[in-house]
Amino acid sequence: MTARAARRSAGLLLYRRTGDGLQVLLGHMGGPYYAKKDAGAWTVPKGEYGPDEPAREAARREFREELGLAPPDGEAVPLGEVVQAGGKIVTVWAVEGDLDPDAIRPGTFTMVWPPRSGQVREFPELDRVAWFGLDRAREVIITAQTAFLDRLAEHSG
């Protein structure tokens, strides 16, 4: 019996310094499962990559795919990796920068919806993005990803 390789994702956590402290840019996961959820429905813009693609390159590619904007060119601070509840390994870099959430043009995915209906519908990968202070971000981000917020705070402290 062979073990299935863990799925891996990479992403960029954009942050900015304000008079009220650090803010991070998070995306609300698109699609019908998350439409009415807030807590646990926000994520670092990220996506899966294969074994032949370096994680940092995947993070930059996924930023462009998820947000429809070029990734920032600033210094990328490695925030390490976490394992999410479903077993996916997520690796993230923090990059200081700013963008207008209204400027995003998210990528899309398709799925059968409603379930077993045979109807294939298209949904945005992220249906919106927003800036959050670290305390509020901890309330809404996928639980495992709170480690990235803590590591960013330590780095920026």
Side-chain angles (χ1 to χ4, degrees), residues 10-90:
L12 297 179
L13 178 60
L14 194 63
Y15 71 96
R16 65 185 182 186
R17 300 169 198 276
T18 72
D20 295 327
L22 288 180
Q23 290 186 333
V24 293
L25 186 78
L26 300 178
H28 185 270
M29 292 183 279
Y33 295 122
Y34 299 99
K36 294 183 175 155
K37 293 184 174 123
D38 195 42
W42 292 81
T43 182
V44 172
K46 61 172 182 41
E48 291 188 18
Y49 65 98
D52 296 334
E53 183 178 20
R56 179 133 184 260
E57 287 179 25
R60 291 181 57 79
R61 174 183 53 76
E62 286 293 335
F63 188 93
R64 182 182 304 276
E65 288 179 13
E66 297 260 320
L67 302 179
L69 301 170
D73 288 325
E75 175 193 0
V77 177
L79 298 180
E81 61 184 35
V82 300
V83 179
Q84 293 185 168
K88 182 185 289 184
I89 300 167
V90 180

Side-chain angles (χ1 to χ4, degrees), residues 93-150:
W93 287 263
V95 179
E96 189 168 4
D98 200 359
L99 67 76
D100 177 356
D102 292 334
I104 71 153
R105 298 295 173 258
T108 60
F109 68 96
T110 58
M111 66 183 286
V112 174
W113 190 260
R116 296 177 296 284
S117 68
Q119 298 175 43
V120 177
R121 296 192 40 206
E122 186 174 61
F123 298 95
E125 295 272 357
L126 300 173
D127 57 21
R128 61 191 182 277
V129 299
W131 288 101
F132 292 92
L134 293 181
D135 289 341
R136 179 71 179 129
R138 283 184 185 91
E139 295 172 3
V140 298
I141 199 168
I142 293 170
T143 303
Q145 293 182 21
T146 58
F148 298 133
L149 304 176
D150 297 339

